[in-house]
């Protein structure tokens, strides 16, 4: 098991009821608050308050499939995932979408396009320098100036010492880093992307609320000094 969270800073998230995400007559999914006794369900985790929603994303896959004898060139693939909105004094502060980076980023873009007055967010930019300082680095990818090369990877335990890696972090061209980090007394295999995604690559035993990965992400926020 593993889990990815796409994390954003946010100043507005106003979805008191379920809404379809529709742009120019095309449906892209749905946003629905989880309700408990008529109010949006909330959780307190590691001193942070979250409101809970369910997201649905419809992606058009361009691929020929056969259903019975019928041939289709495209089909819709539906993904369903948890969305947690961290609040402070009843104001939204962060969006955490528990979905792959690709789906989480696309979903938020569609949501903002369909409802520009209901949501406002910016990517959380992780401090890669701090990440590599407090963890064992497995690999680091960065945008490269070499022609034809989109990104370059470095692997191994002493990559912090590599000049290219150091420059990538300093010049903010690092795009993804995978590390082992001590989180709540347990070594966790993690990935951080410049798109605001945190990947938890370990299997964490489930809890009653299904929030075991959210707890780990909140502990990672503490370690990185990501504000409440």
């Amino acid at each position: 098991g593993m889990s990815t969270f796409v994390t954003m800073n946010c100043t507005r998230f106003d979805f008191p009821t379920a809404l379809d995400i529709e742009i120019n007559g095309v449906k892209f999914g749905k946003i629905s608050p989880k309700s408990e006794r008529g109010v949006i369900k909330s959780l307190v985790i590691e001193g942070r308050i979250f409101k809970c929603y369910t997201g649905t994303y419809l992606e058009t896959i361009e691929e020929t499939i056969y259903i019975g004898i019928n041939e289709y060139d495209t089909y819709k693939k539906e993904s369903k995932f948890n969305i947690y909105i961290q609040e402070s004094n009843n104001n939204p502060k962060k969006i955490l979408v528990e979905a792959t980076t690709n789906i989480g980023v696309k979903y938020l873009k569609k949501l903002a396009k369909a409802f520009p007055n209901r949501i406002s967010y910016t990517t959380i930019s992780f401090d890669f320098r701090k990440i590599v300082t407090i963890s064992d680095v497995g690999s680091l990818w960065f945008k490269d100036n070499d022609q034809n090369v989109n990104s370059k990877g470095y692997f191994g335990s002493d990559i912090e010492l590599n000049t290219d890696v150091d420059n990538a972090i300093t010049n903010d061209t690092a795009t993804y880093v995978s590390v082992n980090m001590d989180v709540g007394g347990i070594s966790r295999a993690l990935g951080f992307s410049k798109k605001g995604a945190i990947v938890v690559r370990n299997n964490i035993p489930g809890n009653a609320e299904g929030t075991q990965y959210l707890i780990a992400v909140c502990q990672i926020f503490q370690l990185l000094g990501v504000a409440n």
Side-chain angles (χ1 to χ4, degrees):
M2 60 180 270
S3 194
T4 302
F5 285 81
V6 173
T7 65
M8 301 284 173
N9 289 314
C10 96
T11 51
R12 184 185 295 150
F13 195 88
D14 182 23
F15 295 95
T17 57
L19 289 170
D20 286 326
I21 303 166
E22 204 171 289
I23 301 163
N24 301 329
V26 180
K27 274 203 174 132
F28 286 98
K30 200 172 182 161
I31 175 83
S32 318
K34 290 186 185 182
S35 68
E36 259 181 1
R37 295 180 298 280
V39 294
I40 298 178
K41 178 180 173 173
S42 64
L43 296 168
V44 180
I45 291 177
E46 303 284 314
R48 294 169 191 257
I49 299 165
F50 292 96
K51 291 266 167 51
C52 305
Y53 298 78
T54 301
T56 308
Y57 184 61
L58 286 172
E59 202 170 14
T60 302
I61 308 292
E62 310 269 339
E63 187 188 340
T64 304
I65 57 163
Y66 297 90
I67 298 172
I69 57 167
N70 299 319
E71 181 182 317
Y72 300 90
D73 290 328
T74 63
Y75 62 95
K76 295 267 192 206
K77 186 177 174 209
E78 182 180 285
S79 309
K80 229 177 176 169
F81 38 84
N82 294 315
I83 299 172
Y84 301 102
I85 303 300
Q86 187 186 320
E87 292 193 342
S88 175
N89 302 323
N90 290 323
N91 291 316
K93 294 291 178 192
K94 290 189 179 57
I95 302 175
L96 281 75
V97 180
E98 193 172 3
T100 65
T101 310
N102 185 24
I103 286 174
V105 169
K106 282 184 185 169
Y107 176 80
L108 288 175
K109 280 184 178 160
K110 297 291 188 207
L111 193 60
K113 193 167 182 186
F115 303 107
N117 302 324
R118 292 181 178 270
I119 176 173
S120 179
Y121 68 90
T122 54
T123 307
I124 292 178
S125 66
F126 296 120
D127 183 343
F128 275 38
R129 171 76 59 208
K130 186 161 192 177
I131 291 167
V132 302
T133 308
I134 63 171
S135 58
D136 292 328
V137 182
S139 62
L140 185 133
W141 297 86
F142 59 90
K143 283 199 205 74
D144 195 43
N145 294 332
D146 292 356
Q147 302 306 310
N148 314 325
V149 182
N150 191 3
S151 61
K152 241 185 182 177
Y154 279 92
F155 307 91
S157 53
D158 57 349
I159 68 167
E160 297 96 308
L161 310 174
N162 184 302
T163 322
D164 278 353
V165 167
D166 195 65
N167 290 341
I169 293 172
T170 305
N171 303 333
D172 207 30
T173 56
T175 53
Y176 187 86
V177 62
S178 71
V179 299
N180 281 301
M181 189 185 284
D182 186 336
V183 180
I186 299 168
S187 176
R188 298 268 182 230
L190 308 172
F192 295 90
S193 101
K194 260 293 180 267
K195 291 182 175 170
I198 299 179
V199 184
V200 182
R201 295 202 307 277
N202 317 74
N203 182 39
I204 303 179
N207 61 19
E209 292 277 8
T211 54
Q212 63 273 21
Y213 288 100
L214 180 62
I215 292 169
V217 167
C218 289
Q219 291 170 335
I220 292 161
F221 276 172
Q222 291 305 115
L223 290 170
L224 297 183
V226 176
N228 273 4

